[in-house]
Amino acid sequence: MIEILQLEEAATLAAIDELSSLFSQCVDGGASMGFMAPFPPEQAAVYWFEVAKSVGRNDLILLVARLNGRIEGTVQLGIATPPNQPHRADIKKLMVSPAARGHGLSRALMDAAETTALKAGRSLLVLDTATGEPAEKIYEHLGWVRSGTIPNYALFPDGRFCDTTIFYKQLA
Ligand SMILES: CC(C)(COP(=O)(O)OP(=O)(O)OC[C@H]1O[C@@H](n2cnc3c(N)ncnc32)[C@H](O)[C@@H]1OP(=O)(O)O)[C@@H](O)C(=O)NCCC(=O)NCCS
């Protein structure tokens, strides 16, 4: 059974081990998500501590997907936008553990992110993703609009260059 939860700061800190294991598996599995391989859970924990602080400052909304009681996926809504973009949010760090993929967790997380964004008054969502990776097709499938591609924008965890595609979705 898939359960989607929004974690506040204390709950984020309590979930750091699960979140770190998840993030480590995704980066070491080849996902271009800001970090290089190897990415051990201890290094991922440093990242999640910063996320917990951002949640506490109300700069970020953190959603997690639990499958059979365990955190197997997550996504973030960045809401620390400038004063002239109060209607916008950034979707960040959508990830599902390799073992739990293909069971609808990212669909459930992205649906919840949209509902949560609208509740927070955010009607325009923006994200970027590695070009040619499975997530690119999934965003299109979920109704996101492709804006364009920037060549060699980032690196894959193994050091190869990676193009990035920008998507947006107008919710209302
Ligand atoms: C990308 C990722 C999050 C997908 O997670 P997932 O839980 O396996 O995805 P889902 O099973 O929920 O699939 C989402 C939807 O996309 C569809 N889909 C899956 N693969 C697809 C493809 N190649 N083409 C088109 N649609 C696809 C699914 O059928 C589903 O749609 P539905 O609900 O209408 O059936 C996961 O592979 C992952 O964590 N990858 C590594 C991290 C990453 O790349 N994150 C993106 C960062 S921007």
Side-chain angles (χ1 to χ4, degrees):
M1 191 190 90
I2 302 173
E3 212 186 343
I4 305 293
L5 301 169
Q6 181 177 337
L7 299 190
E8 299 305 338
E9 184 178 8
T12 305
L13 291 170
I16 275 191
D17 284 353
E18 279 179 282
L19 290 166
S20 300
S21 160
L22 167 61
F23 198 9
S24 165
Q25 286 179 61
C26 289
V27 173
D28 283 351
S32 175
M33 304 187 79
F35 293 91
M36 304 302 287
F39 188 54
E42 308 80 62
Q43 223 173 298
V46 176
Y47 166 81
W48 288 112
F49 273 112
E50 291 306 316
V51 166
K53 279 194 228 164
S54 300
V55 169
R57 284 195 305 268
N58 207 26
D59 285 346
L60 200 64
I61 295 173
L62 177 65
L63 300 177
V64 298
R66 278 207 198 129
L67 188 65
N68 302 323
R70 199 180 150 73
I71 294 176
E72 299 285 4
T74 182
V75 71
Q76 300 169 21
L77 273 169
I79 52 172
T81 46
N84 73 339
Q85 298 166 32
H87 56 294
R88 193 177 72 68
D90 295 305
I91 291 279
K92 302 195 269 195
K93 301 280 189 284
L94 172 70
M95 63 185 98
V96 171
S97 70
R101 288 181 192 163
H103 295 291
L105 267 70
S106 77
R107 153 73 80 174
L109 282 162
M110 293 300 283
D111 285 353
E114 290 186 18
T115 309
T116 307
L118 283 172
K119 275 193 201 143
R122 309 296 170 129
S123 54
L124 175 65
L125 300 182
V126 177
L127 64 79
D128 63 70
T129 192
T131 311
E133 293 296 290
E136 187 188 5
K137 289 271 178 282
I138 292 176
Y139 293 129
E140 279 183 331
H141 177 73
L142 297 179
W144 286 70
V145 181
R146 175 192 298 267
S147 276
T149 294
I150 304 172
N152 294 346
Y153 183 83
L155 299 177
F156 284 110
D158 63 6
R160 285 173 301 126
F161 275 111
C162 163
D163 298 350
T164 288
T165 299
I166 316 287
F167 282 92
Y168 71 90
K169 191 165 186 181
Q170 187 74 55
L171 302 181

